[in-house]
Amino acid sequence: DVKVTQSSRYLVKRTGEKVFLECVQDMDHENMFWYRQDPGLGLRLIYFSYDVKMKEKGDIPEGYSVSREKKERFSLILESASTNQTSMYLCASSSSGAPYNEQFFGPGTRLTVL
Amino acid sequence: AQSVTQLGSHVSVSEGALVLLRCNYSSSVPPYLFWYVQYPNQGLQLLLKYTSAATLVKGINGFEAEFKKSETSFHLTKPSAHMSDAAEYFCAVSDLHQGGKLIFGQGTELSVKP
């Protein structure tokens, strides 16, 4: 059974803290994605990666950074968390080669910044 | 630029009634289109996808969608709603300039009344 796992389901942090969200996939996928999900806004792409050590900005990269040192792992970093980053964060992965390849999603991390 | 619009942020149907969730897309070239479902407290799961092979696409759990180029639509239907269909549904289009990247609609929350 294919799997994308995220390190935490729920996370509570304080303003100004550095926050790490981890995502691991076991499907040997080249592509990995970080989304933010907010009511009424759907999913918005923060960053994505096509290969190890490669990253591309998505639609809303401000306030975030990413790291991909190994193929199976893609980390999202909030350098200094702010209350407007309270949200649901979803990680996804897909294989490369065709633009219609399915993205597989993790269960999400609900982050609250106080 | 490509985009997706889902008409209606909330749809409510009775159990056994027809489900119709609307999605319109904007694309200058034939698109690849997707419907994903998100059950409460879970990540997204692929329902079905259009890859130009057939205009009527059948997916999991009895759902299907029809690609209509003249109407730039890809509406999702199910003949008879079940309580377990209550979830949030997302339409998405593949970004043809960046393979593998998806552009999501705002989402439609489906409620099923007994």
Side-chain angles (χ1 to χ4, degrees):
Chain A
D1 195 19
V2 295
K3 250 191 174 168
V4 179
T5 56
Q6 296 184 228
S7 50
S8 306
R9 293 300 301 272
Y10 300 93
L11 210 52
V12 180
K13 295 293 181 180
R14 297 225 174 258
T15 301
E17 280 193 78
K18 191 169 186 176
V19 181
F20 292 87
L21 303 182
E22 305 284 342
C23 175
V24 178
Q25 51 95 2
D26 65 359
M27 295 165 281
D28 201 36
H29 284 166
E30 293 80 14
N31 304 331
M32 295 190 75
F33 307 84
W34 273 108
Y35 294 93
R36 172 175 172 158
Q37 182 181 9
D38 298 290
L41 297 178
L43 275 71
R44 293 180 291 168
L45 184 63
I46 305 171
Y47 268 97
F48 58 105
S49 170
Y50 287 133
D51 203 349
V52 176
K53 296 192 183 296
M54 293 184 69
K55 60 185 178 184
E56 298 280 345
K57 291 181 179 179
D59 301 317
I60 52 164
E62 296 77 20
Y64 303 94
S65 62
V66 290
S67 173
R68 192 166 181 201
E69 296 296 319
K70 293 185 177 181
K71 189 175 186 179
E72 67 270 19
R73 187 180 298 269
F74 193 35
S75 302
L76 180 69
I77 303 155
L78 287 66
E79 294 290 341
S80 178
S82 63
T83 55
N84 62 13
Q85 293 178 309
T86 291
S87 187
M88 170 71 89
Y89 290 87
L90 291 166
C91 175
S93 71
S94 69
S95 60
S96 63
Y100 47 77
N101 286 342
E102 175 184 356
Q103 287 190 15
F104 293 85
F105 284 81
T109 296
R110 188 167 294 282
L111 172 67
T112 302
V113 183
L114 301 175
Chain B
Q2 293 166 288
S3 65
V4 169
T5 301
Q6 292 183 239
L7 299 177
S9 57
H10 291 91
V11 171
S12 182
V13 300
S14 298
E15 193 171 19
L18 171 72
V19 175
L20 171 60
L21 303 182
R22 300 177 186 272
C23 173
N24 287 89
Y25 68 90
S26 171
S27 178
S28 58
V29 296
Y32 300 115
L33 294 160
F34 305 77
W35 274 101
Y36 282 84
V37 60
Q38 183 181 35
Y39 298 106
N41 298 314
Q42 294 186 28
L44 277 68
Q45 177 184 358
L46 182 69
L47 271 179
L48 50 82
K49 63 182 177 182
Y50 168 74
T51 60
S52 76
T55 57
L56 183 62
V57 183
K58 294 187 184 298
I60 61 172
N61 301 338
F63 284 93
E64 63 182 37
E66 187 172 8
F67 174 72
K68 291 187 177 181
K69 183 180 178 180
S70 61
E71 299 177 8
T72 61
S73 69
F74 190 56
H75 301 332
L76 182 71
T77 60
K78 182 174 181 177
S80 176
H82 192 272
M83 296 296 291
S84 61
D85 294 326
E88 189 153 21
Y89 292 79
F90 293 93
C91 184
V93 63
S94 181
D95 187 330
L96 295 174
H97 298 292
Q98 290 184 300
K101 182 182 168 185
L102 293 178
I103 301 164
F104 284 88
Q106 304 91 324
T108 298
E109 186 171 355
L110 175 66
S111 302
V112 182
K113 299 174 291 187

